[in-house]
């Protein structure tokens, strides 16, 4: 059974950096992420869940306007892991960050989220 597990969240001061990881334990090495479009989403209290970044099976990326130039999404298919490198964090980045995977079959997966808090 495929599951996604996020890690790397925490409490940081404005201007700090964090790297989030999304792993898929229980899958064969390289077999899941190599065929999946991956994304990072976030949801702040009282707000809708929103897209942060996407990366396709061929490595094409796109970012939400608020994080452009600060966040980078990348993947290591052999390790079934996708990352979100976050730099110059701002208080408005505070949210629970979720990993998402979409497979060609139409099956989608979500992780349980990791908390990112940016505060002085």
């Amino acid at each position: 059974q495929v599951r996604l597990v996020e890690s790397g969240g925490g409490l940081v001061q404005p201007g700090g950096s964090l790297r989030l990881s999304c792993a898929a334990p229980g899958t064969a090495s390289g077999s899941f992420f190599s065929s999946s479009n991956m994304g990072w989403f976030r949801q702040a209290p009282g707000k809708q869940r929103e897209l942060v970044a996407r990366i396709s099976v061929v490595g094409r990326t796109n970012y939400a306007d608020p994080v452009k130039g600060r966040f980078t999404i990348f993947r290591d298919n052999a390790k079934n892991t996708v990352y979100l490198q976050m730099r110059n964090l701002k208080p408005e980045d505070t949210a629970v960050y979720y990993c998402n995977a979409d497979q060609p079959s139409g099956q989608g997966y979500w992780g349980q989220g990791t908390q990112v808090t940016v505060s002085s």
Side-chain angles (χ1 to χ4, degrees):
Q1 184 70 43
V2 174
R3 64 188 181 99
L4 302 178
V5 181
E6 303 97 336
S7 62
L11 173 63
V12 297
Q13 295 184 6
S17 298
L18 285 174
R19 180 181 292 175
L20 305 184
S21 299
C22 173
T27 64
S29 181
S31 66
F32 182 76
F33 280 11
S34 63
S35 61
S36 300
N37 297 311
M38 305 299 302
W40 285 96
F41 293 73
R42 67 186 182 186
Q43 186 168 23
K47 295 186 176 181
Q48 299 290 320
R49 187 173 298 187
E50 63 180 4
L51 171 71
V52 176
R54 292 185 187 273
I55 184 166
S56 75
V57 295
V58 295
R60 295 179 180 176
T61 60
N62 67 280
Y63 300 89
D65 286 341
V67 309
K68 287 181 178 178
R70 299 188 297 119
F71 291 9
T72 303
I73 185 171
F74 59 102
R75 63 199 299 163
D76 186 336
N77 291 337
K79 297 181 179 179
N80 279 338
T81 305
V82 64
Y83 305 89
L84 184 69
Q85 179 66 55
M86 304 184 293
R87 297 177 291 106
N88 191 24
L89 284 160
K90 303 176 179 180
E92 50 263 46
D93 295 318
T94 296
V96 177
Y97 284 70
Y98 297 91
C99 182
N100 171 255
D102 289 317
Q103 293 211 289
S105 64
Q107 180 67 57
Y109 301 90
W110 290 94
Q112 295 190 55
T114 184
Q115 177 72 48
V116 172
T117 302
V118 185
S119 177
S120 60

